[in-house]
Amino acid sequence: MLLKKITGFIIAGGIMLSCFIPCYAEEENKPDILSSKSAIVTECSTGQVLYEHNGREKLPMASVTKLMCMLIWAEKMEAGRLSFDDTIRCSAYASSRDGSVIWLMPNEEMSARDIIKSVVIASANDATTALCEHIAGSEMEFVRLMNDRAKELGMNDTCYKNCVGYDEDGHYTTAYDIALLCGEISRYDYYNEFFNTRLDYVREGDKAAQLLNTNKLMRYYNGIIGGKTGTTDNAGCCLAVWAKRGNMTICAVSLGCKEDNERFDACESLLDYGFNEFELYKAVADSSKLIPVEVDKGLKKEADIRIKRLVTMVIPKGSSSDVSYKYTVAEKLTAPVNCGQTVGKVTATLYDEIIFESDIISVYEIEEMSFWKAFFIILSKIFAI
């Protein structure tokens, strides 16, 4: 077995560094991503990195850039500040964008639903710019929002210079940062219908614009939910996707492939690796180890205790029976005891490596006994007789 330590994250209104988790996999089972300049596979709910190849290398990202736009749009919809029914007016600037477009005309109006559909399915640059301007007033102001959100997510090696993914000096990211972003987007389902649409149209008649989904994995990979392709001269062929099977959602990112099919092959191999080699495991509490602790000089003689946090993590598939726990708890406490006071620690190991640890804490506050408190306790008992 080859030991590879991977970093665990808990996503709950943000991403917090939690612990270091080891994962194991046979060398011959590693994903085939040699065609990628950079690649990574993570589990979305925990953020754990299952495998990476140059995952922290700064590279251009092409239209994978639009994933950050989609996240901000989803958050605006969640907050009630954007709706699919909103009307979006295209500016002359948005109309002038080239590359993948739906040929929006200056002052043309379109529903936010059709605008977003055009971006998610066909990566339309004019539609992307029009909606970003609608939200922030200008592309540059929206780019500021993108960079601010990236910092909040811990995307420390990402910098956006435009909202569509054009090659530009200083416009870069890493596979690791994109995986963080995908994990956040996977919490929303606003785009699921569009992600899984192969062909659609906006407008009608002679002005209809065809929307063709370039993400080939949508057509055949079991469990695929979302993703974004991107291709430019400097970035090469890029792809970020996520898929769900059972209770586990896996994200795969490939940046810098030379050929179109290489990115799909790489991400398919990464997803297969994640689903085939790993499973989710939630740390458990052993109530027999969490018996009340004696308290000296307290109003109560015992303190109830509990594990401070029980997290879910990714472990090698089929290894849950090999996880072992060690509890270390104080034999006696001296009052006062604070609620949440640390009284011990629990550690879980797998194949001699720590995969989880947490403080054991007191459940309630216990005040220190004093003469007058003792007097009133005795007095109350006398009158209760």
Side-chain angles (χ1 to χ4, degrees), residues 24-200:
Y24 307 75
E26 297 288 356
E27 186 72 35
E28 60 268 21
N29 293 338
K30 293 286 180 69
D32 180 10
I33 41 78
L34 295 180
S35 58
S36 309
K37 286 185 179 179
S38 175
I40 200 166
V41 57
T42 65
E43 197 285 318
C44 288
S45 67
T46 63
Q48 283 183 229
V49 177
L50 309 180
Y51 183 79
E52 62 180 309
H53 167 69
N54 298 331
R56 319 302 167 110
E57 182 179 351
K58 295 178 181 178
L59 293 169
M61 68 196 99
S63 283
V64 174
T65 297
K66 296 183 178 80
L67 286 174
M68 179 56 82
C69 297
M70 294 179 198
L71 174 62
I72 293 174
W73 299 344
E75 291 172 339
K76 296 294 183 184
M77 287 190 279
E78 192 79 358
R81 295 197 292 270
L82 177 66
S83 165
F84 279 132
D85 296 326
D86 289 352
T87 298
I88 310 302
R89 177 175 293 178
C90 180
S91 69
Y93 176 70
S95 176
S96 70
R97 315 268 17 199
D98 57 9
S100 178
V101 295
I102 56 171
W103 299 282
L104 287 170
M105 299 299 293
N107 295 318
E108 179 179 356
E109 293 183 343
M110 186 174 285
S111 70
R113 178 183 177 83
D114 281 349
I115 288 285
I116 291 171
K117 179 170 71 172
S118 301
V119 176
V120 177
I121 298 175
S123 196
N125 294 329
D126 50 357
T128 303
T129 305
L131 185 50
C132 290
E133 289 179 329
H134 175 81
I135 289 173
S138 69
E139 180 187 21
M140 285 301 98
E141 184 61 21
F142 192 87
V143 169
R144 184 188 65 79
L145 297 180
M146 295 169 72
N147 285 313
D148 288 347
R149 193 69 182 98
K151 289 185 177 67
E152 292 171 357
L153 291 176
M155 298 170 63
N156 299 322
D157 294 312
T158 294
C159 182
Y160 297 105
K161 293 292 186 177
N162 60 77
C163 68
V164 296
Y166 290 150
D167 289 331
E168 186 173 344
D169 288 344
H171 187 87
Y172 58 80
T173 190
T174 66
Y176 175 76
D177 282 2
I178 290 296
L180 291 179
L181 176 57
C182 290
E184 194 69 16
I185 296 175
S186 69
R187 299 172 55 207
Y188 300 94
D189 58 7
Y190 294 110
Y191 311 125
N192 289 4
E193 174 191 351
F194 305 142
F195 278 136
N196 286 282
T197 299
R198 181 176 179 271
L199 180 65
D200 206 338

Side-chain angles (χ1 to χ4, degrees), residues 296-321:
D296 189 28
K297 299 179 181 179
L299 289 179
K300 293 184 178 180
K301 295 189 178 298
E302 292 182 329
D304 292 334
I305 61 175
R306 66 175 179 86
I307 296 176
K308 185 175 183 178
R309 61 183 178 89
L310 290 171
V311 303
T312 298
M313 66 202 83
V314 180
I315 62 174
K317 186 169 285 189
S319 66
S320 59
S321 61

Side-chain angles (χ1 to χ4, degrees), residues 184-360:
E184 194 69 16
I185 296 175
S186 69
R187 299 172 55 207
Y188 300 94
D189 58 7
Y190 294 110
Y191 311 125
N192 289 4
E193 174 191 351
F194 305 142
F195 278 136
N196 286 282
T197 299
R198 181 176 179 271
L199 180 65
D200 206 338
Y201 295 86
V202 289
R203 304 192 198 92
E204 296 179 352
D206 295 339
K207 295 182 179 181
Q210 184 184 80
L211 309 176
L212 180 63
N213 195 330
T214 56
N215 185 359
K216 298 176 183 178
L217 289 184
M218 295 295 174
R219 305 174 197 171
Y220 63 85
Y221 194 84
N222 178 28
I224 203 81
I225 298 175
K228 186 73 195 72
T229 60
T231 306
T232 63
D233 291 341
N234 286 346
C237 298
C238 306
L239 177 64
V241 292
W242 55 98
K244 183 175 182 179
R245 294 181 186 173
N247 64 345
M248 190 160 65
T249 302
I250 299 293
C251 169
V253 181
S254 171
L255 301 178
C257 290
K258 293 182 179 180
E259 302 293 335
D260 179 59
N261 284 334
E262 291 176 346
R263 57 182 165 183
F264 300 111
D265 292 341
C267 283
E268 182 177 5
S269 181
L270 288 163
L271 290 172
D272 284 345
Y273 176 75
F275 286 122
N276 294 338
E277 300 295 330
F278 301 96
E279 63 181 80
L280 284 177
Y281 172 81
K282 185 172 183 178
V284 296
D286 184 349
S287 59
S288 69
K289 304 290 186 180
L290 298 172
I291 59 176
V293 179
E294 181 182 349
V295 177
D296 189 28
K297 299 179 181 179
L299 289 179
K300 293 184 178 180
K301 295 189 178 298
E302 292 182 329
D304 292 334
I305 61 175
R306 66 175 179 86
I307 296 176
K308 185 175 183 178
R309 61 183 178 89
L310 290 171
V311 303
T312 298
M313 66 202 83
V314 180
I315 62 174
K317 186 169 285 189
S319 66
S320 59
S321 61
D322 295 317
V323 177
S324 61
Y325 291 82
K326 180 181 179 181
Y327 288 77
T328 304
V329 182
E331 293 183 359
K332 181 184 290 188
L333 301 173
T334 301
V337 176
N338 297 320
C339 178
Q341 178 177 321
T342 299
V343 300
K345 178 176 287 188
V346 58
T347 302
T349 59
L350 178 61
Y351 308 138
D352 297 324
E353 293 286 343
I354 295 175
I355 63 169
F356 162 75
E357 57 183 6
S358 174
D359 289 337
I360 296 173

